[in-house]
């Protein structure tokens, strides 16, 4: 062999071990677990649980679009149908981006400050930085974190969408968008953190399986504050203001009922026995509340309205939400039976007595139903269903509700003032008289 050949072989002999070492190092670096944030765990994929949570995410999104949009759209006057439905679409768009930018990080991040952790998450996941295919939220280590983020995002979407029912037919659309963005960051995210993100309410033993306080009491109280702050609709209490299309409301309520299975049973976080009982409890409570609402309505009015029974269904769904994975079916039926009359009284008698205009009963159903459901969770929670029910009591539940009510009310009021002095809040009297469909959106029901 030539001298040049010998030199090439010698160089190759020196280079080969180096390349092997480099390749091994690169492979080791690729296989190394990513650095985890305080709230994260390394993903240990649960295929069945991931499939179920993906399905549940779609079901919960269905609750807002088109479920809630049609439910609310059918109950307003014909001249405001498109505007009411468009509110749900706007909330979906704004909250999805807010959740991506900072909402998830603030709600579920682990704050590096021990003093702040009980109250708010971190900014470590702005724009979902530090989330990867290999990470999971420590609450559900078998579920990809991207899926967990999506599931929780659907909860963040429907909560301010529920609030819109309180001020239907009178808020400016620009105000709605600004209100939704600020409320999602400043009210929803902190309360979510308090209960589910390692905050002080969860640590105090407050039980909220799928959002009694976080979603329903929070949105109901915010809705009540909005209704009072904006004032009553033109003609309220003087001229009839009736639902233009109960059939649309029926379709929307049916979609809410189906979607609520993902809402409650999905909150089990796995395809397991707890998911099964949460699903059954959801259906039973809705049926029970529909019947007791119907009974009270018949006693008072000697008639049973379709919208009344549908409102009863939703009342039962709301009330069972905090309890779905903590009570047995007997407890679920009792909660539903109680929720029907309580929500009827709140939506009809109390609203009439105090003369506030909660247009579509955001507080009457979601506020009151969430309150009664959360309190009764402390009564009927049982360790036979969920070991976390150990020590459940009304006192702890009331503590969580008081904190939620005070913060939601004050936070909502501050945001309303911000909107009032920036975008403005309420449409003009002429726009309200003409209807928001044409005055705000340039569309009318006849043209679509």
């Amino acid at each position: 062999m030539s001298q040049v050949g010998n030199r090439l072989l010698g160089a190759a002999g020196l280079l080969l071990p180096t390349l092997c070492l480099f390749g091994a190092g690169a492979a080791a670096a690729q296989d190394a677990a990513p650095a985890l944030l305080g709230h994260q765990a390394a993903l240990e994929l649960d295929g069945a649980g991931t499939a179920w949570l993906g399905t549940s995410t779609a079901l919960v999104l269905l609750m807002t679009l088109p479920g809630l949009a049609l439910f609310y759209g059918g109950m307003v006057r014909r001249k405001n149908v498109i505007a009411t439905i468009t509110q749900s679409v706007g909330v979906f768009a704004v909250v999805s981006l807010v959740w991506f930018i900072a909402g998830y990080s603030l709600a579920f991040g682990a704050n590096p400050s021990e003093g702040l952790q009980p109250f708010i998450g971190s900014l470590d996941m702005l724009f979902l930085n530090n989330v990867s295919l290999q990470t999971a939220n420590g609450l559900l280590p078998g579920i990809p974190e991207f899926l967990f983020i999506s599931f929780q995002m659907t909860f963040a979407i429907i909560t301010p969408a529920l609030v819109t029912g309180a001020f239907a037919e009178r808020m400016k659309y620009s105000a709605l968008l600004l209100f939704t963005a600020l409320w999602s960051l400043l009210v929803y995210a902190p309360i979510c953190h308090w209960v589910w993100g390692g905050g002080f309410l969860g640590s105090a033993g407050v039980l909220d399986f799928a959002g009694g306080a976080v979603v329903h009491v929070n949105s109901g109280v915010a809705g009540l504050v909005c209704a009072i702050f904006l004032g009553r609709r033109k003609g309220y209490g003087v001229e009839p203001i009736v639902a233009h299309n109960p059939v649309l409301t029926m379709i929307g309520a049916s979609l809410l009922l189906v979607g609520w299975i993902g809402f409650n049973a999905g909150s089990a976080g796995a395809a397991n026995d707890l998911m099964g009982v949460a699903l059954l409890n959801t259906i039973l409570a809705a049926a029970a509340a529909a019947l007791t609402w119907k009974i009270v309505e018949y006693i008072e009015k000697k008639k049973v309205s379709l919208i009344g029974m549908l409102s009863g269904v939703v009342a039962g769904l709301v009330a069972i939400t905090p309890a779905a994975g903590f009570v047995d079916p007997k407890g679920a039926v009792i909660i539903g039976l109680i929720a029907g009359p309580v929500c009827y009284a709140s939506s009809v008698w109390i609203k009439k007595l105090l003369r506030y205009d909660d247009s579509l009963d955001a507080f009457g159903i979601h506020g009151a139903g969430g309150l009664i459901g959360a309190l009764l969770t402390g009564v009927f929670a049982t360790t036979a269903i969920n070991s976390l029910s150990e020590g459940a009591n009304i006192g702890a539940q009331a503590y969580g509700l008081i904190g939620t009510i005070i913060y939601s009310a004050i936070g909502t009021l501050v945001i309303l003032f911000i909107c009032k002095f920036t975008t403005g809040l309420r449409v003009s009297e002429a726009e309200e008289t003409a209807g928001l469909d044409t005055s705000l959106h340039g569309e009318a029901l006849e043209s679509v």
Side-chain angles (χ1 to χ4, degrees), residues 154-292:
T154 61
F155 283 63
I157 289 169
I158 197 170
T159 307
L162 294 172
V163 179
T164 65
F167 52 71
E169 302 191 300
R170 58 197 188 276
M171 183 182 264
K172 295 174 67 174
Y173 200 70
S174 56
L176 166 76
L177 298 180
L178 178 59
F179 174 86
T180 298
L182 294 176
W183 195 87
S184 297
L185 280 175
L186 302 179
V187 178
Y188 180 82
I191 292 177
C192 180
H193 181 80
W194 296 355
V195 178
W196 294 332
F200 72 98
L201 292 184
S203 300
V206 174
L207 298 180
D208 190 354
F209 191 74
V214 176
V215 175
H216 296 295
V217 173
N218 192 7
S219 63
V221 169
L224 180 61
V225 172
C226 288
I228 294 172
F229 192 88
L230 267 75
R232 291 176 287 179
R233 285 168 290 179
K234 186 176 180 293
Y236 180 79
V238 178
E239 60 188 50
I241 298 179
V242 297
H244 95 284
N245 193 335
V247 175
L248 277 187
T249 300
M250 169 61 189
I251 296 170
S254 301
L255 291 168
L256 284 170
L257 174 60
V258 173
W260 226 291
I261 291 172
F263 201 69
N264 287 352
S267 293
N272 58 15
D273 49 358
L274 187 60
M275 177 271 285
V277 73
L279 191 158
L280 177 60
N281 287 344
T282 300
I283 297 172
L284 291 173
L291 287 175
T292 50

Side-chain angles (χ1 to χ4, degrees), residues 116-167:
L116 292 177
Q117 168 58 20
F119 306 104
I120 196 65
S122 71
L123 296 176
D124 292 335
M125 294 175 291
L126 292 180
F127 301 96
L128 301 187
N129 287 324
N130 298 310
V131 178
S132 74
L133 295 176
Q134 289 76 43
T135 61
N137 188 291
L139 297 171
L140 294 175
I143 305 297
E145 189 168 14
F146 283 123
L147 177 56
F148 181 83
I149 292 167
S150 301
F151 181 63
Q152 289 298 332
M153 181 174 68
T154 61
F155 283 63
I157 289 169
I158 197 170
T159 307
L162 294 172
V163 179
T164 65
F167 52 71

Side-chain angles (χ1 to χ4, degrees), residues 72 162 165-166 216 219-221 223-224 227 293 311 314-315 318 339-351 356-372:
Y72 278 172
L162 294 172
H216 296 295
S219 63
V221 169
L224 180 61
W293 181 297
S311 297
V314 175
V318 169
V342 168
C343 291
Y344 183 91
S346 180
S347 300
V348 179
W349 299 334
I350 294 176
K351 183 169 72 170
Y356 58 83
D357 185 9
D358 177 6
S359 307
L360 307 179
D361 297 317
F363 177 77
I365 292 178
H366 297 278
L371 283 167
I372 195 67

